[in-house]
Amino acid sequence: MSIDTTTAARVAKLARIRVEPDDLEALASEFNTILGFIEQLAEVDVEGVEPMVSVTPQRLKRREDKVTDGGQQARILSNAPDAREGFFAVPKVVE
Amino acid sequence: MTDLNAMTIAGARDALRRREITSAELTAACLTAAEGASALNAFVHMTPETATAQAEAADARLADGDAPPLCGIPLGIKDLFCTRGVASQAASRILEGFRPEYESTVTARLWDAGAVMLGKLNMDEFAMGSSNETSVYGEAVNPWKVDERRLTPGGSSGGSAAAVAADLCLGATGTDTGGSIRQPAAFAGITGIKPTYGRCSRWGIVAFASSLDQAGPMGKSVRDCAIMLGAMAGHDPLDSTSADLPVPDFEAALTGDIRGRTIGIPREYRMEGMPGEIDALWTRGREMLADAGAKIVDVSLPHTKYALPTYYVLAPAEASSNLARYDGVRFGHRADLVPGDGVTEMYEKTRAEGFGDEVKRRIMIGTYVLSAGFYDAYYNRARKVRALIKRDFDQVFAAGVDAILTPTTPSAAFGLGEMAEADPVQMYLNDVFTVTVNLAGLPGISVPAGLDGRGLPLGLQLIGRPFEEGDLLNVAASLERAAGFVEKPARWW
């Protein structure tokens, strides 16, 4: 499996990380090194093995479905790069 | 009397309780040591006002006779832990300026136990690295130095290791996803334990790979780690994977008696090209445990060689999902936008500017292995191999083995910048002996066991049964006593 610059660009897009076109070749090459390393997994016999879901045999705890927290608008917005009138502000999304 | 900042937690606790020293004096000694160690770049945000106030409160508690073990003990906190009102940016530009409105469960427990916060410690960005060189703050430097080179303290908890080894604090928190407590502990000649997955709450710790991340203590002795772990551990309803089990008295488990315990030596850890000094140290460790009355047996963990490739599918996959939250909307950095930029440009520019190269690489690898068409071939296959790696350990423990002895790292600390030209996989090999433990969710501890020919510390790792940290710490204490490692780095900083 070899990754070309088109695939590298597609992955960068999916990850929402801007990569300059000039850097795609180096990125693709790094991906190929890492994926080449990962390829070893293909030789393991995993027939009949269930994919691990949780490393400790525990059932996730459940709790009563009720509100336990809230009313903290100022604290939630305190670290926002741009907060206005009680909202997170972002560039225009809908024309 | 030695400098106060050079004390162990156990020694300081006893001296504090006997009122021979005050936490105010101890804390001042650490703050002075830390301020004079900027060449190590271990502390990246100091909190002297908080420390002084906490020390005063601790002295009052000590005077009242209400003093839990960590009362008045000055600690450093890895930058990955959210600490209320104090910069917590996971050594990343993308969290520049972030001041959490909440406290992580682990640090909250430490403050409840009376501990004193000196400040935040350097690390690899988002805990992704083995040399502390991916940090936005610049690299932390190992206090051990044998020639003109500046050495790495390891990573990702490099600042924690450097600070403890240089006596800037009595102990420090670390986190470990693939070896990030144990490898830096080995490189800096200190002790560090990664507890069983679920032992410490992950709530309020910046997430990297949630199925592997665990917090743990880094300290100057096994006893100190036992004391700190007792305060850090415990069930937390805010972390659904936190284990609802009682926390035993880990310090009380240090009986020093390991007669009749069975120690496994896994043959697959004898790697080709392993330096002779590492192999010799491993043999000495085996002899020391045998002399202490343990039974030594050869064991096999056949899927060991697949642990690193498994990790480099699963950890990036989980990271790509966890780090999706850094979108420039709710916290941290947002890129400057130009007219016409929409929300997608905001995401892409913010993340390109905010993340360093290694973090971007892992997010994109994770994105790739989770993408349509590759999910089964990579992600699901890796989860199956992980099940086999865990089964290897289960079978060894079921056969009566109490703990497994291995080297911690394949080498001693290397020079900063020496791996700059190497491909990323070369750096990943640092974790070859430690990463299996995270994949299997087990407790693992690194104990300093000797110096190499150049005078740099080397560590041995012990791996224990799930949720039997007390037993593991006891075996580690026996190894510690036999190894008798007392060397300290000579001060040059």
Side-chain angles (χ1 to χ4, degrees):
Chain A
M1 184 81 220
S2 180
I3 295 207
D4 55 18
T5 52
T6 314
T7 309
R10 187 176 63 85
V11 171
K13 184 79 192 168
L14 282 172
R16 298 290 183 270
I17 295 173
R18 170 160 298 198
V19 177
E20 299 305 326
D22 286 352
D23 296 332
L24 283 172
E25 189 132 351
L27 185 65
S29 155
E30 283 172 1
F31 283 175
N32 283 318
T33 304
I34 296 169
L35 290 171
F37 180 62
I38 292 169
E39 285 300 331
Q40 296 175 59
L41 296 181
E43 68 195 54
V44 184
D45 179 6
V46 293
E47 191 61 41
V49 179
E50 282 299 307
M52 183 185 283
V53 177
S54 168
V55 74
T56 44
Q58 61 175 348
R59 184 164 177 274
L60 290 184
K61 279 188 176 288
R62 298 183 179 189
R63 65 168 175 84
E64 200 183 331
D65 184 15
K66 65 172 187 199
V67 176
T68 57
D69 207 348
Q72 307 194 43
Q73 189 187 45
R75 289 173 70 192
I76 283 166
L77 293 173
S78 70
N79 277 293
D82 189 0
R84 299 179 206 169
E85 300 165 39
F87 294 94
F88 294 109
V90 295
K92 199 162 157 185
V93 182
V94 184
E95 288 300 329
Chain B
M1 186 164 180
T2 54
D3 294 336
L4 294 179
N5 50 298
M7 295 181 92
T8 60
I9 292 175
R13 170 193 60 187
D14 298 346
L16 284 164
R17 284 179 175 172
R18 290 195 300 264
R19 314 296 293 146
E20 292 166 3
I21 59 168
T22 64
S23 177
E25 293 163 351
L26 186 61
T27 300
C30 289
L31 288 171
T32 303
E35 278 156 19
S38 53
L40 299 178
N41 200 24
F43 276 100
V44 290
H45 303 285
M46 294 294 294
T47 55
E49 293 85 8
T50 306
T52 307
Q54 285 175 325
E56 270 177 36
D59 281 327
R61 267 175 99 169
L62 283 153
D64 288 347
D66 157 39
L70 281 179
C71 194
I73 303 293
L75 303 176
I77 302 299
K78 189 178 182 179
D79 199 37
L80 203 64
F81 291 78
C82 286
T83 44
R84 189 168 186 173
V86 177
S88 307
Q89 62 181 92
S92 180
R93 187 180 175 207
I94 210 156
L95 278 171
E96 212 165 61
F98 177 58
R99 297 278 185 285
E101 291 283 352
Y102 50 88
E103 188 77 27
S104 83
T105 298
V106 162
T107 50
R109 283 176 184 274
L110 290 172
W111 314 144
D112 287 349
V116 172
M117 175 163 76
L118 298 168
K120 303 301 280 288
L121 293 163
N122 208 346
M123 55 179 280
D124 279 297
E125 183 181 7
F126 283 106
M128 298 180 192
S130 301
S131 64
N132 215 118
E133 290 169 293
T134 70
S135 166
V136 73
Y137 308 117
E139 62 224 6
V141 182
N142 197 327
W144 289 86
K145 197 173 194 309
V146 288
D147 48 31
E148 73 293 342
R149 294 176 311 150
R150 294 181 322 138
L151 302 173
T152 177
S156 68
S157 310
S160 304
V164 172
D167 290 327
L168 312 185
C169 53
L170 273 64
T173 61
T175 62
D176 191 316
T177 304
S180 284
I181 286 175
R182 292 159 287 156
Q183 182 254 22
F187 278 11
I190 64 164
T191 305
I193 179 169
K194 180 203 91 74
T196 313
Y197 183 80
R199 185 56 103 176
C200 291
S201 168
R202 292 181 295 106
W203 195 82
I205 301 172
V206 175
F208 161 16
S210 304
S211 80
L212 302 161
D213 299 342
Q214 260 297 290
M218 301 173 73
K220 299 176 192 179
S221 70
V222 172
R223 182 171 299 274
D224 283 8
C225 286
I227 295 169
M228 258 186 91
L229 181 60
M232 294 166 71
H235 179 244
D236 177 11
L238 296 174
D239 172 4
S240 60
T241 63
S242 134
D244 194 358
L245 292 172
V247 178
D249 183 340
F250 296 122
E251 195 184 5
L254 307 179
T255 61
D257 184 2
I258 62 161
R259 283 174 300 174
R261 313 303 284 165
T262 302
I263 309 295
I265 309 290
R267 69 174 65 97
E268 290 79 7
Y269 282 60
R270 182 151 281 115
M271 298 272 170
E272 214 171 293
M274 187 158 89
E277 286 179 313
I278 302 280
D279 203 8
L281 180 80
W282 192 14
T283 304
R284 277 210 303 285
R286 174 188 177 133
E287 289 162 1
M288 288 179 222
L289 293 174
D291 288 346
K295 182 178 152 203
I296 310 292
V297 296
D298 286 322
V299 298
S300 176
L301 298 165
H303 294 91
T304 298
K305 71 175 273 209
Y306 301 109
L308 267 179
T310 299
Y311 178 83
Y312 277 97
V313 173
L314 298 180
E318 295 185 28
S320 75
S321 170
N322 271 326
L323 273 60
R325 75 190 64 180
Y326 303 103
D327 55 7
V329 175
R330 289 157 296 166
F331 33 68
H333 178 73
R334 177 187 291 187
D336 288 333
L337 302 178
V338 299
D341 278 351
V343 78
T344 303
E345 286 77 14
M346 180 191 70
Y347 296 148
E348 292 182 349
K349 288 183 176 179
T350 294
R351 290 162 64 81
E353 289 179 8
F355 292 134
D357 287 345
E358 180 62 23
V359 172
K360 287 184 205 174
R361 190 150 51 222
R362 295 204 199 182
I363 291 173
M364 289 191 275
I365 286 287
T367 303
Y368 181 77
V369 299
L370 289 174
S371 64
F374 300 104
Y375 187 90
D376 264 325
Y378 289 113
Y379 183 66
N380 265 344
R381 175 165 280 266
R383 289 200 301 145
K384 290 177 185 176
V385 179
R386 184 178 181 186
L388 293 172
I389 290 166
K390 180 171 188 293
R391 187 192 292 171
D392 286 352
F393 282 103
D394 290 346
Q395 288 170 348
V396 165
F397 289 131
V401 167
D402 296 296
I404 295 167
L405 179 74
T406 78
T408 307
T409 58
S411 74
F414 49 90
L416 288 161
E418 277 175 18
M419 299 284 275
E421 299 303 316
D423 71 56
V425 171
Q426 291 307 307
M427 187 66 98
Y428 300 166
L429 292 174
N430 264 287
D431 290 336
V432 66
F433 299 135
T434 48
V435 74
T436 49
V437 177
N438 301 76
L439 291 168
L442 302 170
I445 185 168
S446 178
V447 177
L451 297 176
D452 73 359
R454 293 169 305 164
L456 291 176
L458 296 171
L460 286 173
Q461 172 179 245
L462 284 158
I463 304 166
R465 296 166 176 265
F467 297 108
E468 293 191 17
E469 289 89 354
D471 200 46
L472 178 66
L473 286 158
N474 186 37
V475 177
S478 179
L479 183 65
E480 175 186 57
R481 192 172 48 247
F485 184 90
V486 291
E487 287 81 358
K488 287 272 198 179
R491 182 164 176 180
W492 55 267
W493 56 89

